[in-house]
Amino acid sequence: MDASRVSADAAPEENGMESPFKVGMINELRQKTGPEHSARRFFPDLPDAFATPFLVGLMEGVSADLMAKHLQSGEQSVGIGMNLKHTAPTPLGMEVRVVTELIGIEGKKLTFKLEAFDEKEKIGEATHERFIINADKFMKKLVSKATD
């Protein structure tokens, strides 16, 4: 389920045009957890519960999805930082819901506030930063780095 809320706060783009991103935009993602999301995939002595790395992935994904809907042709986004608190365990089989809200725009850097919930309670929160990139330029650098 996706939802968007638009505020009047917008950042001007470098070329003088208004950014398609507005502080206050939101997006939501839901994921049914299963055995493939177990913390034991990362280390066998961990609890058989929803793993923090998968929570990070959902948080990054819901924010990237919000951005993808508004990026210009040839643009993509990459994550550049996350400050996460995973505050409660989730049994496998429960649905996890993650909500992201755009809270800051500094040129090509966007900052998001996230909250995650399972079917019973809030399970985490984070701030996440993403950067708008030129996809071709990024891939050229990536290929160059891999072949050097």
Side-chain angles (χ1 to χ4, degrees):
M1 176 175 142
D2 292 339
S4 293
R5 181 178 73 227
V6 177
S7 166
D9 299 328
E13 287 191 2
E14 293 161 9
N15 63 6
M17 295 180 60
E18 187 174 301
S19 168
F21 298 102
K22 313 281 188 257
V23 168
M25 294 174 101
I26 61 170
N27 196 30
E28 181 176 298
L29 177 130
R30 294 173 185 260
Q31 173 71 56
K32 180 82 165 180
T33 64
E36 67 276 17
H37 301 113
S38 175
R40 290 186 180 166
R41 291 196 60 174
F42 299 95
F43 187 73
D45 289 341
L46 293 177
D48 194 21
F50 183 62
T52 301
F54 290 111
L55 180 57
V56 169
L58 290 177
M59 288 180 161
E60 185 165 15
V62 71
S63 301
D65 180 62
L66 185 150
M67 289 183 72
K69 295 172 185 176
H70 302 283
L71 291 171
Q72 303 299 313
S73 178
E75 292 180 333
Q76 291 179 333
S77 73
V78 292
I80 60 171
M82 185 172 296
N83 183 1
L84 167 76
K85 292 181 183 177
H86 193 168
T87 57
T90 298
L92 298 175
M94 276 195 175
E95 181 178 82
V96 171
R97 179 174 63 92
V98 180
V99 179
T100 189
E101 178 181 0
L102 179 57
I103 61 168
I105 304 168
E106 297 175 46
K108 293 183 178 275
K109 183 178 83 168
L110 280 65
T111 303
F112 298 89
K113 177 181 131 188
L114 294 115
E115 292 184 305
F117 306 85
D118 63 20
E119 297 170 19
K120 302 285 184 181
E121 64 183 330
K122 183 175 174 178
I123 63 166
E125 59 189 26
T127 55
H128 177 44
E129 294 177 334
R130 300 192 67 76
F131 199 82
I132 299 169
I133 60 164
N134 175 291
D136 289 339
K137 185 177 174 183
F138 184 87
M139 287 307 298
K140 285 178 187 172
K141 184 175 182 178
L142 190 63
V143 168
S144 173
K145 191 173 192 177
T147 58
D148 282 348

